[in-house]
């Protein structure tokens, strides 16, 4: 281990570059919310107004989810190797904006499906790209805190975007929401281009930060199989949180609006704003809990919130129900947004496969997230919204059971110390 004196001191220019990069990362996370999910939950209401049923709406969303799921590992592998991470965000931003405008042009099944597939593929790349840039700027030691701030800004962007979308949709009609998404996409591109390229250490960005005085060569990066040997990562990936959570937000909006108990644009905006406001606080709280208690407790709380949310959503299909239902969404998803990438970065530190690891976990979890809208949509159409919410909440019980069952192994791994037998080989 090299002494501190052996390590080069940071120059004033590098310190300024890092400060500028962290501010730009926060701005990027604020504006990229619409880039990750297009118009998100507003799509279901938009299509519902044009005669679509809940089953086909869920199926189209699932098609996009499957496409994104298939692309996450290749996208993560590409991010690990490329030094053009900023331009990945630029290209995905342009593609997402164009894909959203396709839906304005036509609401045919083929066009909407193509749009959702394109948006999902872009979203699969932007997540690992931003995580990689963050790791490259602040290194492993600063990743937890910076990722927590990134997620807080991302949730703030979602909240502001949803509020503006609701007001624009109510004032000018649903198509105005698409133009707002395009504006956010342009601002996200400007934000990522303001990150100084020299501030990104591309070796650190893939988990090869050398603590010794000598750098490691790229050939020393661990093979892809190291990820499959990491048991805590497999448990994390196989937890069924997103299978239950993925459909709840758009489905609850459809349930209340379909019952005539809320304005389509404003109520959908409220569902997003309530959740994202709580997610801001949950992201900051997760950052603090992780630094003191590790990742296991944070993820346990996130898993426990979802079954309660399913019960309330199935019991209270009323305008005021958005508050408890979406507050619980904010707790669960907000904690996950910080804990999952942070834990993966910790478990794969030193392997050179951090971003492909992020992609692998996103792929398995994305399978659940992509199936969730189809399962929820068809259950709602055939058996009613209440049954759909109870079933979706039931999936979360499996997540909770799995996480508690492997608590002995996971507590050690989630504290940042590899569990015996699970260290990369």
């Amino acid at each position: 281990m090299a002494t501190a004196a052996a390590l080069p001191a940071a120059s004033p220019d590098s310190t300024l570059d890092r400060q500028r990069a962290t501010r730009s990362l926060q701005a990027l996370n604020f504006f990229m919310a619409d880039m990750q999910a297009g118009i998100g939950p507003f799509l279901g209401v938009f299509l519902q107004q044009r005669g679509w049923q809940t089953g086909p709406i869920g199926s189209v969303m699932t098609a996009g989810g499957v496409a994104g799921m298939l692309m996450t590992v290749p996208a993560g592998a590409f991010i690990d190797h490329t030094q053009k991470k900023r331009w990945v965000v630029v290209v995905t931003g342009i593609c997402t904006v164009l894909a959203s405008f396709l839906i304005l042009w036509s609401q045919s099944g083929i066009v909407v499906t193509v749009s959702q597939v394109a948006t999902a593929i872009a979203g699969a790349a932007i997540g690992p790209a931003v995580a990689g840039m963050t790791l490259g700027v602040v290194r492993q030691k600063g990743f937890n805190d910076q990722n927590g701030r990134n997620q807080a800004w991302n949730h703030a962007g979602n909240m502001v975007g949803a509020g503006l979308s609701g007001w624009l949709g109510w004032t000018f009609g649903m198509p105005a929401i698409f133009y707002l998404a395009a504006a956010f996409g342009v601002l996200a591109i400007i934000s990522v281009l303001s990150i100084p390229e020299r501030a990104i250490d591309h070796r650190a960005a893939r988990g090869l930060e050398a603590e010794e005085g000598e750098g490691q060569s790229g050939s020393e990066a661990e093979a892809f199989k190291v990820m499959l040997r990491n048991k805590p990562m497999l448990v994390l990936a196989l937890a069924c949180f997103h299978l239950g959570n993925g459909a709840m937000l758009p489905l609850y909006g459809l349930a209340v609006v379909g019952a005539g108990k809320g304005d389509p644009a404003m109520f959908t905006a409220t569902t997003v704003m309530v959740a994202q406001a709580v997610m801001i606080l949950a992201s900051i709280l997760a950052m603090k809990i992780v630094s003191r208690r590790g990742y296991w407790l944070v993820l346990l709380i996130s898993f426990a919130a979802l079954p309660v949310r399913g019960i309330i959503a199935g019991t209270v299909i009323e305008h005021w129900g958005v508050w408890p239902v979406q507050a619980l969404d904010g707790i669960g998803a907000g904690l996950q947004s910080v804990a999952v990438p942070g834990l993966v970065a910790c478990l794969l530190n030193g392997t050179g496969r951090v971003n492909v690891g992020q992609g692998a976990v996103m792929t398995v979890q994305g399978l659940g997230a992509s199936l969730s809208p189809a399962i929820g949509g068809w259950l709602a159409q055939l058996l009613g919204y209440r049954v759909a919410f109870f079933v979706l909440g039931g999936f979360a019980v499996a997540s909770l059971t799995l996480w508690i069952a492997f608590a002995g192994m996971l507590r050690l791994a989630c504290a940042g110390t590899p569990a015996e037998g699970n260290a990369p080989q």
Side-chain angles (χ1 to χ4, degrees):
M1 182 71 68
T3 63
L7 296 174
S11 66
D13 286 345
S14 65
T15 301
L16 289 173
D17 284 341
R18 180 172 297 188
Q19 290 174 348
R20 179 181 170 190
T22 54
R23 288 194 296 267
S24 297
L25 280 168
Q26 289 164 186
L28 171 61
N29 275 272
F30 183 90
F31 291 118
M32 78 180 198
D34 286 331
M35 290 172 62
Q36 289 179 295
I39 62 168
F42 292 94
L43 176 63
V45 176
F46 178 77
L47 295 175
Q48 185 184 49
Q49 289 182 332
R50 283 150 181 81
W52 285 55
Q53 298 296 312
T54 56
I57 290 173
S59 297
V60 166
M61 291 182 174
T62 288
V66 170
M69 176 195 68
L70 294 175
M71 287 300 297
T72 47
V73 169
F78 179 72
I79 296 301
D80 272 333
H81 289 281
T82 184
Q83 295 192 5
K84 304 294 184 182
K85 295 177 178 61
R86 298 186 310 158
W87 289 98
V88 171
V89 178
V90 172
V91 172
T92 56
I94 294 171
C95 292
T96 301
V97 171
L98 294 177
S100 294
F101 280 124
L102 273 178
I103 302 178
L104 279 181
W105 174 61
S106 172
Q107 293 85 52
S108 70
I110 294 177
V111 171
V112 173
T113 301
V114 169
S115 172
Q116 288 305 288
V117 168
T119 299
I121 291 174
I126 195 172
V130 173
M133 286 190 292
T134 302
L135 191 56
V137 171
V138 301
R139 315 301 195 271
Q140 182 69 229
K141 184 177 181 181
F143 184 77
N144 176 55
D145 287 348
Q146 184 61 42
N147 183 53
R149 286 190 288 269
N150 285 354
Q151 294 304 323
W153 279 94
N154 183 266
H155 299 317
N158 271 300
M159 184 177 68
V160 172
L164 289 173
S165 294
W167 178 76
L168 288 171
W170 178 61
T171 306
F172 302 105
M174 294 293 286
I177 297 172
F178 293 85
Y179 292 99
L180 178 66
F184 266 54
V186 172
L187 292 170
I189 291 171
I190 294 172
S191 298
V192 75
L193 291 177
S194 68
I195 299 173
E197 178 60 42
R198 58 185 174 273
I200 304 173
D201 182 335
H202 292 283
R203 290 179 50 73
R206 61 185 298 196
L208 279 179
E209 181 177 355
E211 295 184 8
E212 302 84 4
E214 300 176 3
Q216 301 177 28
S217 66
S219 61
E220 294 179 30
E222 296 288 338
F224 180 81
K225 62 184 179 182
V226 73
M227 185 176 46
L228 300 178
R229 293 178 178 176
N230 196 298
K231 293 178 183 178
M233 271 192 62
L234 290 178
V235 175
L236 175 66
L238 293 172
C240 303
F241 177 85
H242 293 282
L243 181 62
N245 191 67
M248 279 204 189
L249 190 157
L251 201 61
Y252 196 71
L254 290 173
V256 175
V257 171
K261 297 179 179 179
D263 173 78
M266 288 303 297
F267 182 79
T268 305
T270 303
T271 65
V272 179
M273 291 178 67
V274 171
Q276 297 298 330
V278 176
M279 285 181 196
I280 295 172
L281 300 176
S283 299
I284 297 171
L285 181 62
M287 183 174 63
K288 295 183 180 298
I289 295 176
V290 166
S291 65
R292 297 176 183 175
R293 302 287 299 275
Y295 292 100
W296 187 83
L297 179 61
V298 174
L299 287 164
L300 177 70
I301 297 171
S302 74
F303 292 141
L306 186 54
V308 180
R309 184 185 180 211
I311 292 173
I312 296 176
T315 305
V316 183
I317 302 180
E318 299 286 344
H319 188 278
W320 62 268
V322 67
W323 297 98
V325 170
Q326 290 308 98
L328 287 166
D329 181 32
I331 293 172
L335 296 177
Q336 290 251 335
S337 69
V338 173
V340 172
L343 179 56
V344 172
C346 178
L347 292 173
L348 293 183
N349 185 35
T351 67
R353 289 291 184 266
V354 169
N355 295 300
V356 79
Q358 302 281 10
V361 171
M362 288 171 62
T363 296
V364 181
Q365 292 185 338
L367 175 63
S370 61
L371 291 175
S372 186
I375 293 173
W378 285 107
L379 281 173
Q381 185 169 324
L382 298 175
L383 301 175
Y385 286 107
R386 296 186 188 279
V387 173
F389 289 126
F390 291 147
V391 172
L392 291 173
F395 290 141
V397 176
S399 302
L400 198 58
T401 303
L402 186 66
W403 201 248
I404 293 174
F406 287 93
M409 173 186 70
L410 292 168
R411 280 181 181 273
L412 183 59
C414 293
T417 304
E420 183 178 355
N422 295 318
Q425 302 175 11

